[in-house]
Amino acid sequence: MAIQVADLEFLRGQLETRREKLQQAVARSQTANLVQLLEQVDKALEKVDTGTFGVCEDCHGTVETSRLIADPLAQVCLDCLKPSEQRALEQDLALAARIQAGLLPQQDLKASGWRVSYHYEPAGLVSGDYCDIVQHDRDLYFMVGDVSGKGVAASMLMANLHAMFRVLIPSGLPLPQLVERANRIFSDSTLPGQYATLIVGRARECGEVELCNGGHLPPIHLAATGVNTLYSSALPVGMFHDQEFLSTQVNFSPGDSLVIYTDGFTESAAHDGSEYGDKRLGRLLEPFHGYDSRQLVDACVRDLQSFRAGPQRVDDQTLVVLKFAPVQH
Ligand SMILES: [Zn+2]
């Protein structure tokens, strides 16, 4: 897959900024390293002009865009790295995975009259799925999202979202404004073409749930009367700077659960190519009203595993269950 035009223009800008900085540095002190770097930047810019930027110098395949964004001077694709370079990269990835695992919320959390459990499984070492729970002022904020792209670049955006909401939530803004502000910050800090589908919600002690859905798959409300799909959706976060977000409210009764998932969960395919799908998930959940959030998560994961009947996994998978279980007085 060739580099997209928007990414190429971004990379050209990065290279030009670097050349400017290098020229200033070389003017002050002409070390061999600086001169060599300047030559490499010039060569890369020449390749941008001649349309050969991002072509692997060894196999003539394509250098991965996410790696070029991290290092616009990368000249070979992942497969053509020397063994020592591959080892260094693997160590970096393992570190990134450890950092990401540290960003996950507490498992089987009990707070504000709710029980929250989740399943979070990256397709590779790191995930582009985002999942966080924050308690503020007796309310429980929950965020579940899916960042465009894969691998390290997507995991960096995920960490970006994580930090942003952790900072924004204590401001006490109404939910739509909270998401609008997050959208503006996210739009300013990402590349064109990078965005995230995202559900941001607030669960209250009385069972009231407010939801803002930015282009994410609709969550499921598991009530005593059956399963309801909570449709309502705006565009993903990061697409347009001045987008408006609206919220919807749903009242939960004791024993009800809210189930949120990423497409890696419902778009998992069986070996005949059929997709797991939200209908199967809904049917599975129906008899489980009143069950604990942990039991619900486990039941869903077991069912998905038996459906897939194989170890292959192509996308990051996340499933979050919030059960309304108020303390009885
Ligand atoms: Zn190559």
Side-chain angles (χ1 to χ4, degrees):
M1 196 173 59
I3 304 174
Q4 295 189 353
V5 177
D7 291 337
L8 193 63
E9 282 314 305
F10 171 82
L11 286 163
R12 185 205 293 270
Q14 293 280 301
L15 286 164
E16 280 167 353
T17 312
R18 270 163 225 224
R19 177 161 64 182
E20 214 173 285
K21 295 239 179 336
L22 278 166
Q23 278 170 336
Q24 288 163 1
V26 167
R28 284 192 299 270
S29 69
Q30 212 165 20
T31 68
N33 178 248
L34 285 177
V35 172
Q36 198 192 359
L37 279 171
L38 186 56
E39 279 168 12
Q40 282 178 25
V41 170
D42 280 336
K43 198 173 142 201
L45 276 166
E46 219 178 278
K47 286 185 183 173
V48 173
D49 289 334
T50 55
T52 53
F53 182 77
V55 175
C56 173
E57 295 207 332
D58 282 5
C59 71
H60 305 290
T62 309
V63 182
E64 299 75 14
T65 304
S66 58
R67 282 184 57 238
L68 287 169
I69 288 167
D71 177 16
L73 298 181
Q75 290 176 349
V76 292
C77 73
L78 276 180
D79 292 335
C80 296
L81 286 176
K82 290 188 216 108
S84 61
E85 292 170 330
Q86 280 190 355
R87 266 197 306 281
L89 195 69
E90 276 159 18
Q91 283 164 3
D92 288 351
L93 259 177
L95 180 63
R98 284 225 302 281
I99 292 169
Q100 188 166 48
L103 297 180
L104 288 173
Q106 188 194 324
Q107 190 57 274
D108 302 326
L109 178 78
K110 224 186 220 175
S112 303
W114 292 81
R115 291 269 294 162
V116 190
S117 304
Y118 64 87
H119 172 77
Y120 184 88
E121 194 178 355
L125 273 174
V126 289
S127 173
D129 279 1
Y130 164 49
C131 156
D132 200 13
I133 317 282
V134 178
Q135 197 179 12
H136 174 70
D137 263 0
R138 309 190 69 79
D139 290 342
L140 208 57
Y141 287 79
F142 50 92
M143 281 70 64
V144 178
D146 184 354
V147 171
S148 61
K150 282 192 168 52
V152 178
S155 80
M156 281 166 68
L157 283 184
M158 173 272 182
N160 189 350
L161 281 173
H162 179 275
M164 198 163 59
F165 278 102
R166 291 261 164 169
V167 170
L168 285 175
I169 286 169
S171 69
L173 280 172
L175 208 58
Q177 271 118 289
L178 180 81
V179 179
E180 278 162 22
R181 186 173 292 183
N183 175 61
R184 285 198 298 274
I185 301 169
F186 195 68
S187 303
D188 287 340
S189 59
T190 52
L191 289 173
Q194 287 185 317
Y195 58 89
T197 68
L198 179 66
I199 287 178
V200 182
R202 182 176 57 188
R204 305 203 123 136
E205 283 176 317
C206 61
E208 185 190 291
V209 172
E210 188 182 1
L211 283 170
C212 231
N213 186 343
H216 198 81
L217 292 167
I220 294 172
H221 174 195
L222 174 58
T225 49
V227 289
N228 308 309
T229 305
L230 303 175
Y231 295 102
S232 86
S233 180
L235 288 166
V237 166
M239 262 191 177
F240 295 100
H241 189 267
D242 292 315
Q243 212 200 142
E244 197 179 67
F245 290 86
L246 301 171
S247 69
T248 50
Q249 274 187 19
V250 187
N251 288 314
F252 278 59
S253 301
D256 287 7
S257 287
L258 178 69
V259 181
I260 313 173
Y261 51 91
T262 58
D263 59 5
F265 208 91
T266 45
E267 287 173 13
S268 276
H271 39 185
D272 66 357
S274 60
E275 268 185 13
Y276 185 78
D278 56 341
K279 299 228 162 30
R280 178 169 171 141
L281 183 62
R283 276 198 305 275
L284 171 83
L285 287 166
E286 200 136 17
F288 282 96
H289 181 262
Y291 279 63
D292 183 59
S293 56
R294 181 77 259 157
Q295 292 171 306
L296 282 176
V297 169
D298 291 347
C300 293
V301 172
R302 264 200 311 276
D303 189 56
L304 179 66
Q305 278 164 353
S306 69
F307 172 82
R308 266 192 338 221
Q312 88 288 3
R313 197 175 60 241
V314 287
D315 202 359
D316 308 318
Q317 287 173 3
T318 302
L319 180 113
V320 181
V321 174
L322 292 96
K323 184 201 176 191
F324 183 43
V327 185
Q328 307 290 338
H329 296 290

CSV table of all heavy atoms in Angstrom, one decimal, residues 55-64 67 75-81, ligand 1:
chain,number,residue,atom,x,y,z
A,55,VAL,N,9.9,4.1,-0.7
A,55,VAL,CA,10.2,2.8,-1.4
A,55,VAL,C,11.4,2.2,-0.7
A,55,VAL,O,12.4,2.8,-0.5
A,55,VAL,CB,10.4,3.0,-2.9
A,55,VAL,CG1,10.8,1.7,-3.6
A,55,VAL,CG2,9.2,3.6,-3.6
A,56,CYS,N,11.3,0.9,-0.3
A,56,CYS,CA,12.4,0.2,0.4
A,56,CYS,C,13.6,0.1,-0.5
A,56,CYS,O,13.5,-0.3,-1.7
A,56,CYS,CB,11.9,-1.2,0.9
A,56,CYS,SG,13.2,-2.1,1.6
A,57,GLU,N,14.8,0.5,0.0
A,57,GLU,CA,16.0,0.5,-0.9
A,57,GLU,C,16.4,-0.9,-1.2
A,57,GLU,O,17.2,-1.1,-2.1
A,57,GLU,CB,17.1,1.3,-0.2
A,57,GLU,CG,16.7,2.8,-0.1
A,57,GLU,CD,17.9,3.7,-0.1
A,57,GLU,OE1,18.9,3.3,0.4
A,57,GLU,OE2,17.7,4.9,-0.5
A,58,ASP,N,16.1,-1.9,-0.3
A,58,ASP,CA,16.5,-3.3,-0.5
A,58,ASP,C,15.5,-4.0,-1.5
A,58,ASP,O,15.9,-4.5,-2.5
A,58,ASP,CB,16.6,-4.0,0.8
A,58,ASP,CG,17.9,-3.6,1.5
A,58,ASP,OD1,18.6,-2.7,1.0
A,58,ASP,OD2,18.2,-4.2,2.6
A,59,CYS,N,14.3,-4.1,-1.0
A,59,CYS,CA,13.3,-5.0,-1.8
A,59,CYS,C,12.4,-4.2,-2.7
A,59,CYS,O,11.6,-4.8,-3.4
A,59,CYS,CB,12.5,-5.9,-0.8
A,59,CYS,SG,11.3,-4.9,0.1
A,60,HIS,N,12.5,-2.9,-2.7
A,60,HIS,CA,11.6,-2.1,-3.5
A,60,HIS,C,10.1,-2.2,-3.1
A,60,HIS,O,9.3,-1.8,-3.9
A,60,HIS,CB,11.8,-2.3,-5.0
A,60,HIS,CG,13.3,-2.1,-5.4
A,60,HIS,ND1,13.9,-0.8,-5.3
A,60,HIS,CD2,14.2,-3.0,-5.7
A,60,HIS,CE1,15.2,-1.0,-5.7
A,60,HIS,NE2,15.4,-2.3,-5.9
A,61,GLY,N,9.9,-2.8,-1.9
A,61,GLY,CA,8.5,-2.8,-1.4
A,61,GLY,C,8.2,-1.4,-0.7
A,61,GLY,O,9.0,-0.4,-1.0
A,62,THR,N,7.2,-1.3,0.1
A,62,THR,CA,6.8,-0.1,0.7
A,62,THR,C,7.3,0.0,2.2
A,62,THR,O,7.1,-1.0,2.9
A,62,THR,CB,5.3,0.1,0.7
A,62,THR,OG1,4.9,-0.1,-0.7
A,62,THR,CG2,4.9,1.5,1.1
A,63,VAL,N,7.9,1.1,2.6
A,63,VAL,CA,8.3,1.3,4.0
A,63,VAL,C,7.0,1.7,4.7
A,63,VAL,O,6.2,2.5,4.2
A,63,VAL,CB,9.3,2.4,4.1
A,63,VAL,CG1,9.7,2.6,5.6
A,63,VAL,CG2,10.6,2.1,3.3
A,64,GLU,N,6.7,1.1,5.8
A,64,GLU,CA,5.5,1.3,6.6
A,64,GLU,C,5.3,2.8,6.9
A,64,GLU,O,6.2,3.4,7.5
A,64,GLU,CB,5.5,0.5,7.9
A,64,GLU,CG,5.6,-1.0,7.7
A,64,GLU,CD,7.0,-1.5,7.3
A,64,GLU,OE1,7.9,-0.7,7.4
A,64,GLU,OE2,7.1,-2.7,6.8
A,67,ARG,N,6.0,4.0,10.4
A,67,ARG,CA,7.5,4.1,10.7
A,67,ARG,C,8.0,5.4,10.1
A,67,ARG,O,8.9,6.0,10.7
A,67,ARG,CB,8.2,2.9,10.2
A,67,ARG,CG,8.0,1.7,11.1
A,67,ARG,CD,8.9,0.5,10.7
A,67,ARG,NE,10.3,0.8,10.7
A,67,ARG,CZ,11.0,0.7,9.6
A,67,ARG,NH1,10.5,0.2,8.5
A,67,ARG,NH2,12.3,1.0,9.6
A,75,GLN,N,14.8,4.0,5.5
A,75,GLN,CA,15.0,3.7,4.1
A,75,GLN,C,14.7,2.3,3.7
A,75,GLN,O,14.6,2.0,2.5
A,75,GLN,CB,16.5,4.0,3.8
A,75,GLN,CG,16.8,5.5,3.8
A,75,GLN,CD,18.3,5.8,3.6
A,75,GLN,OE1,19.1,4.9,3.6
A,75,GLN,NE2,18.6,7.0,3.4
A,76,VAL,N,14.5,1.5,4.7
A,76,VAL,CA,14.1,0.1,4.4
A,76,VAL,C,12.8,-0.3,5.1
A,76,VAL,O,12.5,0.2,6.2
A,76,VAL,CB,15.2,-0.9,4.7
A,76,VAL,CG1,16.4,-0.7,3.8
A,76,VAL,CG2,15.6,-0.9,6.1
A,77,CYS,N,12.1,-1.3,4.6
A,77,CYS,CA,10.9,-1.8,5.2
A,77,CYS,C,11.3,-2.7,6.4
A,77,CYS,O,12.5,-3.0,6.6
A,77,CYS,CB,10.0,-2.5,4.2
A,77,CYS,SG,10.7,-4.1,3.8
A,78,LEU,N,10.3,-3.0,7.2
A,78,LEU,CA,10.6,-3.8,8.4
A,78,LEU,C,11.3,-5.1,8.1
A,78,LEU,O,12.2,-5.5,8.8
A,78,LEU,CB,9.2,-4.2,9.1
A,78,LEU,CG,8.6,-3.1,10.1
A,78,LEU,CD1,7.3,-3.7,10.6
A,78,LEU,CD2,9.6,-2.8,11.2
A,79,ASP,N,10.9,-5.8,7.0
A,79,ASP,CA,11.5,-7.1,6.7
A,79,ASP,C,12.9,-7.0,6.3
A,79,ASP,O,13.7,-7.9,6.4
A,79,ASP,CB,10.7,-7.7,5.5
A,79,ASP,CG,9.3,-8.1,5.9
A,79,ASP,OD1,9.1,-8.3,7.1
A,79,ASP,OD2,8.4,-8.1,5.0
A,80,CYS,N,13.4,-5.8,5.8
A,80,CYS,CA,14.7,-5.6,5.4
A,80,CYS,C,15.7,-5.0,6.5
A,80,CYS,O,16.8,-4.7,6.2
A,80,CYS,CB,14.8,-4.8,4.1
A,80,CYS,SG,13.9,-5.5,2.7
A,81,LEU,N,15.2,-4.9,7.7
A,81,LEU,CA,16.1,-4.4,8.8
A,81,LEU,C,17.1,-5.5,9.1
A,81,LEU,O,16.8,-6.6,9.0
A,81,LEU,CB,15.2,-4.1,10.0
A,81,LEU,CG,14.4,-2.8,10.0
A,81,LEU,CD1,13.6,-2.8,11.3
A,81,LEU,CD2,15.2,-1.6,9.9
B,1,ZN,ZN,12.3,-4.1,2.1
